[in-house]
Amino acid sequence: MGVRVRIPATTANLGPGFDTFGMALSLYNTLEVDWGNRGLQISATGNGTHLLPTDETNTVYLAIKEVFAKTGKEVLLQERGLTISIHNQVPVTRGLGSSATAIVGGLWAANELLGYPLSETELVEMAVKMEGHPDNVTSAVYGGIVVSGLLDHSVYVRRFSPPSGMKCVVAVPDFQLATRTSRNALPSAVPYADAIHNLNRASMMVAALADGDLHMFCSLMEDKLHELYRMPLVPGSKEAIARARQAGALSAVLSGSGPSLIAFCESDEESIGEAMQEGFRNMGVEAEIYRLTPVEQGVASLSCIS
Ligand code: HSE
């Protein structure tokens, strides 16, 4: 009997919450995993799947293997074989948590296939270790808006419901930007005043979340620790953000490590999307627009496939 899991896209950082804030979005990748009879078979359909390997280096498979190894069941992978079907809506390597969907999906599917030998806490810790930072994986697991970090090797997570009325317009430029490249653009030290700015904004954003105050939450999104250094890697981003604001967005920031941008609003999604597209186009970059909402539900088992 196989399993099917659905994992949401995520946007990390939300401006000043670098490596700390994440939010789940209404765009999904789905995985079906079942025992096979001819070794490993992986198929992938949907957004950007031509970029994904379908051999043992596939991230979904690597995550599945971690669960089998941790539970002492690795031999079953050889004995029984495995069939993995991947259906992707989330663009690959664009700052919308596609690798987190693969890691979380693989871990959750394998755990279900084996009859739930591992706890949620164990799976989250494995996911954070594989991804390297907690923001995308914790929001893909818990949904909503998640503030998370590592504390003495354990993952601390506080989840909030997104402020009501929040809508999102995501502009996805037609080029990839690897997180590693985007992290390499960061300086080794920042001015003291910039660190204080982010500390202040990120802390107040948590207070705004506790109050469910959408306008306050969005008005605090100016970042000084990473966007400034990353924007040059995303031609048109500065103009697209300025135009989104002119068109009525409450705020607009880099989604995760980019290159996608995410604008937050209560309405006017169509004109905000067009404005962002125009901003990119002026720099010769085509961008696809996604009108999304935050979602409360993180990774979910959809059903058993007999
Ligand atoms: N917080 C990470 C970064 C997210 O900004 O590098 C990567 O998706």
Side-chain angles (χ1 to χ4, degrees):
M1 192 124 87
V3 298
R4 193 147 68 107
V5 296
R6 188 186 73 167
I7 322 96
T10 51
T11 183
N13 303 331
L14 298 166
F18 183 65
D19 277 0
T20 303
F21 293 167
M23 183 172 81
L25 293 166
S26 55
L27 192 70
Y28 299 94
N29 286 348
T30 308
L31 291 181
E32 293 177 18
V33 180
D34 202 354
W35 301 110
N37 47 21
R38 285 194 289 126
L40 176 64
Q41 285 182 288
I42 302 179
S43 64
T45 57
N47 207 335
T49 41
H50 61 284
L51 301 165
L52 304 178
T54 51
D55 59 16
E56 297 200 346
T57 63
N58 181 282
T59 307
V60 170
Y61 178 68
L62 293 175
I64 290 174
K65 221 167 102 178
E66 287 287 319
V67 173
F68 277 73
K70 196 172 168 78
T71 53
K73 302 268 171 58
E74 218 170 351
V75 67
L76 284 179
L77 289 174
Q78 271 74 50
E79 282 177 8
R80 298 194 62 177
L82 213 58
T83 307
I84 303 172
S85 309
I86 302 168
H87 310 282
N88 280 3
Q89 290 183 335
V90 183
V92 176
T93 335
R94 306 294 162 95
L96 290 166
S98 62
S99 80
T101 69
I103 292 169
V104 169
L107 294 174
W108 258 251
N111 199 44
E112 186 176 341
L113 196 66
L114 291 175
Y116 303 100
L118 301 178
S119 69
E120 187 173 87
T121 307
E122 286 173 303
L123 293 172
V124 169
E125 281 172 8
M126 289 164 76
V128 173
K129 202 166 163 199
M130 284 188 77
E131 178 79 339
H133 33 82
D135 44 11
N136 287 111
V137 290
T138 52
S139 41
V141 170
Y142 296 106
I145 297 180
V146 173
V147 183
S148 62
L150 285 172
L151 217 64
D152 296 332
H153 307 293
S154 295
V155 184
Y156 178 82
V157 175
R158 173 68 161 88
R159 181 198 180 284
F160 294 89
S161 280
S164 69
M166 181 192 268
K167 291 178 178 159
C168 305
V169 183
V170 177
V172 182
D174 63 356
F175 62 90
Q176 295 174 266
L177 178 57
T179 298
R180 201 181 324 109
T181 311
S182 193
R183 289 181 90 85
N184 284 343
L186 301 175
S188 54
V190 294
Y192 199 78
D194 290 354
I196 300 294
H197 170 97
N198 269 49
L199 173 66
N200 178 269
R201 295 300 188 278
S203 306
M204 290 201 290
M205 281 173 79
V206 177
L209 282 177
D211 290 343
D213 188 334
L214 173 64
H215 283 253
M216 180 58 83
F217 184 68
C218 292
S219 67
L220 293 165
M221 282 189 189
E222 191 196 4
D223 161 80
K224 294 204 176 194
L225 295 188
H226 67 106
E227 291 198 342
L228 176 72
Y229 307 103
R230 289 171 156 175
M231 294 291 203
L233 301 176
V234 188
S237 54
K238 226 173 149 178
E239 186 162 357
I241 284 178
R243 283 178 180 247
R245 291 198 178 123
Q246 282 160 15
L250 298 170
S251 58
V253 296
L254 206 57
S255 180
S257 56
S260 297
L261 303 180
I262 181 164
F264 301 89
C265 59
E266 287 175 294
S267 58
D268 303 317
E269 300 105 294
E270 196 170 333
S271 45
I272 292 168
E274 283 166 6
M276 291 168 97
Q277 237 167 1
E278 197 55 36
F280 272 120
R281 199 167 287 138
N282 285 349
M283 291 299 286
V285 174
E286 284 305 316
E288 198 176 345
I289 301 298
Y290 291 74
R291 288 161 55 175
L292 305 175
T293 55
V295 290
E296 296 275 7
Q297 176 75 58
V299 60
S301 169
L302 289 186
S303 62
C304 282
I305 311 150
S306 52

